[in-house]
């Protein structure tokens, strides 16, 4: 990679050179001429193939987690959430059993690495909502998550975006199976198909911004329909806040300002 100091600012590929801009500067690099066939068959690229296989596994784990929270992710996620979640999964495969390129994605034993993950890196949940509570709790059967928030002052503990008059707290919960390499298909597959990628979201009533709520808020994410839960499937619980504006007695969901984080796993 080299900087392009010419007064001509090209972008794109020309004669094997790729011109592009990054952080306000112009760069040029040579086009990669290594063929796909060589990457997939040359022994010199064995490590590359291993990394590609495990990256594919991380992408499938990421998709399952995002599907588990699909009912709310469109509200609370940034445009990079997919790649950020994939990166989180990629970081745990080094501890998995098996050969490189085929190592187990043991999510169940690494749920703590996901605690605190924010779906929007620019809208941190704890910055928007920090009322005292013990946080969500997973029951022994791992098929129910509860979150009890004592009465609190919305002026003190809620950071509202411009135009917000109300908000709802939300508790989302969903499952992601461990993933293993399947030789027959040469791909990663979930150890258990069900309830992999399944989740629910429950919302509080709308709460007016200004003063005390006036009562405790109790949320329950009920997943008992999928019990008993396989030991190779992880359950994640996420807390969220969604903002609204009241106009002529009707609540309208704001286009931005919402946030969510993974708060518990088991």
């Amino acid at each position: 990679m080299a900087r392009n100091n010419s007064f001509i600012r090209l972008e794109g590929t020309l004669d094997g050179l790729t011109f592009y801009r990054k952080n306000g500067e112009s760069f040029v690099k040579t086009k990669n001429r290594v063929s796909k066939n060589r990457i997939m068959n040359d022994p010199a690229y064995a490590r590359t193939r291993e990394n590609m296989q495990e990256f594919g596994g991380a992408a499938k784990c990421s998709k399952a987690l995002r599907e588990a929270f699909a009912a709310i992710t469109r509200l609370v996620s940034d445009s990079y959430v997919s790649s950020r979640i994939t990166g989180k999964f990629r970081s745990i495969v080094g501890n998995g059993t098996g050969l490189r390129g085929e190592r187990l994605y043991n999510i169940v034993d690494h749920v703590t690495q996901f605690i605190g993950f924010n779906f929007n890196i620019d809208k941190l949940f704890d910055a928007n909502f920090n009322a005292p509570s013990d946080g969500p709790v997973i029951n022994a059967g791992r098929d129910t998550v509860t979150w009890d928030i004592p009465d609190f002052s919305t002026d003190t503990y809620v950071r509202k975006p411009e135009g917000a008059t109300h908000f709802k707290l939300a508790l989302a919960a969903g499952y992601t199976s461990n993933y293993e390499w399947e030789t027959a298909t040469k791909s990663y597959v979930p150890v258990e198909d069900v309830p992999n990628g399944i989740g629910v979201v429950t919302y509080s009533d709308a709460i007016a911004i200004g003063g005390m709520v006036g009562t405790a808020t109790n949320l329950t994410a009920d997943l008992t329909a999928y019990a008993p839960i396989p030991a190779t499937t992880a359950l994640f619980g996420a807390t969220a806040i969604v903002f609204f504006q009241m106009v002529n007695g009707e609540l309208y969901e704001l286009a931005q300002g919402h946030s969510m984080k993974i708060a518990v796993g088991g």
Side-chain angles (χ1 to χ4, degrees):
M1 178 182 69
R3 285 182 173 84
N4 175 21
N5 292 321
S6 170
F7 68 91
I8 300 175
R9 296 294 183 252
L10 298 175
E11 290 190 43
T13 301
L14 178 66
D15 291 335
L17 298 176
T18 298
F19 299 83
Y20 64 100
R21 293 182 62 79
K22 181 179 179 182
N23 297 328
E25 295 188 78
S26 296
F27 296 88
V28 59
K29 64 180 179 181
T30 59
K31 184 178 180 180
N32 184 2
R33 296 184 181 276
V34 180
S35 69
K36 179 180 178 180
N37 180 66
R38 183 180 177 189
I39 291 175
M40 300 308 295
N41 296 284
D42 191 334
Y45 288 89
R47 184 57 53 84
T48 299
R49 291 193 293 274
E50 293 167 357
N51 288 335
M52 289 170 60
Q53 289 176 185
E54 291 185 344
F55 182 84
K60 287 189 174 183
C61 294
S62 173
K63 182 180 179 182
L65 180 61
R66 286 182 284 113
E67 286 178 342
F69 292 118
I72 192 172
T73 50
R74 71 170 183 84
L75 290 176
V76 298
S77 299
D78 60 37
S79 57
Y80 301 103
V81 68
S82 176
S83 60
R84 292 194 296 114
I85 294 176
T86 299
K88 293 291 288 186
F89 280 113
R90 188 72 177 86
S91 69
I92 72 174
V93 75
N95 298 317
T97 58
L99 300 174
R100 280 188 59 93
E102 303 175 4
R103 290 176 291 189
L104 174 71
Y105 273 93
N106 188 349
I107 301 167
V108 170
D109 287 347
H110 294 89
V111 291
T112 57
Q113 294 193 30
F114 294 84
I115 306 304
F117 178 86
N118 278 276
F119 282 70
N120 189 328
I121 200 67
D122 295 319
K123 299 291 182 182
L124 305 183
F125 176 78
D126 290 341
N128 279 351
F129 180 78
N130 58 3
S133 81
D134 292 332
V137 177
I138 297 175
N139 73 334
R142 298 189 305 123
D143 55 18
T144 303
V145 184
T146 55
W147 185 26
D148 300 323
I149 310 102
D151 191 15
F152 62 91
S153 168
T154 61
D155 295 317
T156 303
Y157 296 110
V158 175
R159 182 181 180 184
K160 67 172 185 174
E162 184 177 354
T165 61
H166 293 71
F167 66 92
K168 292 182 181 180
L169 295 175
L171 176 62
Y175 294 105
T176 305
S177 171
N178 287 350
Y179 272 70
E180 63 185 357
W181 177 258
E182 185 178 72
T183 304
T185 60
K186 294 185 178 180
S187 65
Y188 275 90
V189 296
V191 175
E192 296 286 349
D193 288 324
V194 179
N196 182 49
I198 290 174
V200 297
V201 181
T202 182
Y203 289 89
S204 71
D205 292 334
I207 301 171
I209 298 175
M212 300 294 291
V213 176
T215 185
T217 303
N218 307 110
L219 298 174
T220 299
D222 186 353
L223 292 153
T224 53
Y226 306 101
I229 308 305
T232 53
T233 297
L235 172 60
F236 294 100
T239 53
I241 185 168
V242 178
F243 292 97
F244 298 81
Q245 183 179 73
M246 181 168 282
V247 179
N248 296 330
E250 294 290 332
L251 283 176
Y252 295 88
E253 188 180 89
L254 294 186
Q256 57 188 2
H258 323 298
S259 56
M260 183 171 80
K261 74 169 184 179
I262 295 177
V264 67

